Amino acid sequence: MAVIISPAAFDPYQALQDHQHAHLAQLGSVGAAAIFIGTMRDFNDGATVKGMTLDYYPGMTEKQLGLCVQQAQQQWAIIDSLIVHRVGDILPLDPIVLVAVWSAHRGDAFDACRFIMETLKSTAPFWKRERLASDELRWVEHNSKGYGAV
Amino acid sequence: MAVIISPAAFDPYQALQDHQHAHLAQLGSVGAAAIFIGTMRDFNDGATVKGMTLDYYPGMTEKQLGLCVQQAQQQWAIIDSLIVHRVGDILPLDPIVLVAVWSAHRGDAFDACRFIMETLKSTAPFWKRERLASDELRWVEHNSKGYGAV
Amino acid sequence: MSLVVRYFASLQDLVGRPEDELAYTAPLTVREVWLRANPSLSIPPNTLAAVNMDYVGFDGSVNDGDEVAFFPPVTGG
Amino acid sequence: MSLVVRYFASLQDLVGRPEDELAYTAPLTVREVWLRANPSLSIPPNTLAAVNMDYVGFDGSVNDGDEVAFFPPVTGG
C-alpha cells in the first residue's frame, strides 16, 4: 500500500511495472488490477493552459491519502494499492496522479480504485494554480464531477 | 481504438506505453486514462490451477470486441481505447486481458472502461479450459459477477 | 441451399466435431438448424447461437450461405 | 497556551502570510482561532479547516500546541 508524493515527473507505466515487480511478482492470488491515470490537459475552463503548479500540505496530504486507502480496504478486498501524485511545477501532458488497486476480483478492484480517486479529489490537500497563455496565474477553484458534460 | 488478440504473452504496461507513444504522445486533450488488467490466478472455484487454454472464435471475437467499443463510444466521450486479449496456452500470473480508455474527463474514462470490460466478459466469444493440479481439464462454465463474495 | 454449422468449446466436445456442412431446401430457424445437424441431441441449457458472427435467438431464420455457430456461455476476460 | 495557524493556496495569498503563532489563555473553537488571527477578515465561503492534519468543523475546539490549518477547496488529482 504505497503512497508516493513526487516533485519529479514520472512515467505511470514504469511506476506500475516497478511496483508490480517489487511487490506482486509471485502473487498468484491477483486476478485484477484497476488503474487510473490523471494527466494535465492544455485546456481548462475556457482557457489554454501553459503550465501548472501543484501545492500541497506536507504531512496532511500523506495522512489523508492513507485514510483514502484505509477506507477502501474496509469496503473491498484489496491485495495491494499504489498512489503516486505529482507536486510542484507541471507541464501539459505530464501525468499528475496514478491510482492502482490489485485484487482477486475485478469488482473490488474497479470499485476501490474509483473510490480512492474520488476521495483523493475531495479530501487530499492539493491545490492547482494554472499559468494561462497570457501568463496570468489562476487558482483552480474546485474540482469537477469528472464528466465532460457536467 | 485498437483491438489485439494475441497468442503471445504480453506485458500490459509495455503495451500501454507503446500505444500511448504511438497514438497519444501529442494529445493535450487527454485528462484521464482508466485501465483494467485481468491476470490468471493460480486458484479458481476451489481448486489449484496449473494452466489454462483460451479458445476463441476468430472473426466473431474481433467483431464483438469492436461492438463493445462502439457501444461505449455512443455513451461516453472517448478519445482512444486499447483492448488486448490473450488466447492459447496461459500460465498463472500471465496477463489475460487489458482494457484501457483515454478521455478528457475521469468519469467518462472510468465508466467506459468498466462497461467495455463487463460487456467483453458477457459477449466476446472466449472460452477458458483450466488444467488442474491433478492434470484434469475442466471448462470454466460461466464468468463470475466479479466480486470475491458473489 | 447450404449452411456451415460451427461448434465451440464444450459444445464441440459434446457433438464430437468442429463443424457441419448442412444442405437444406425449405427455410430454417436457428433451432431447426441444430435439430437437423444433431437429431438425437437436444440443445444444452444456456447454449448461445450466432449467425454470421452476430448473436441471434433460436427463432431467428438463416439464409443460404450463412455461418451458424453454437457455443456455451463465454468466459473470457 | 499557543497554536500554530497555517494558511494554504489562495487563502495564503488572501491573508498575506503562510502562518501565525497564536498565544491564547481561554479555550477556543476553530472559528475563534480564525477571528483572533484575522480580526478584520471574515472567513471566505467554502474554507476548510484542519486540526493536526485532520478535517474539523469550525465549531471544533483546539488544544495547546495544536496545528490549525485553513485552506480553500482542494483541487488535486
Side-chain angles (χ1 to χ4, degrees), chain A residues 34-56:
Chain A
I35 298 158
F36 179 81
I37 298 164
T39 306
M40 193 191 151
R41 288 181 297 142
D42 57 12
F43 197 85
N44 191 33
D45 246 345
T48 299
V49 183
K50 278 165 61 178
M52 180 184 274
T53 302
L54 250 160
D55 279 4
Y56 74 119

Side-chain angles (χ1 to χ4, degrees), chain B residues 3 8 10 18 37 41 49 55-56 58 73 76 100 115 119 130 133 150:
Chain B
V3 172
F10 71 100
D18 293 348
I37 298 164
R41 289 182 296 141
V49 183
D55 278 3
Y56 74 119
Q73 284 177 299
W76 297 283
F115 171 86
T119 308
E130 298 172 329
V150 178

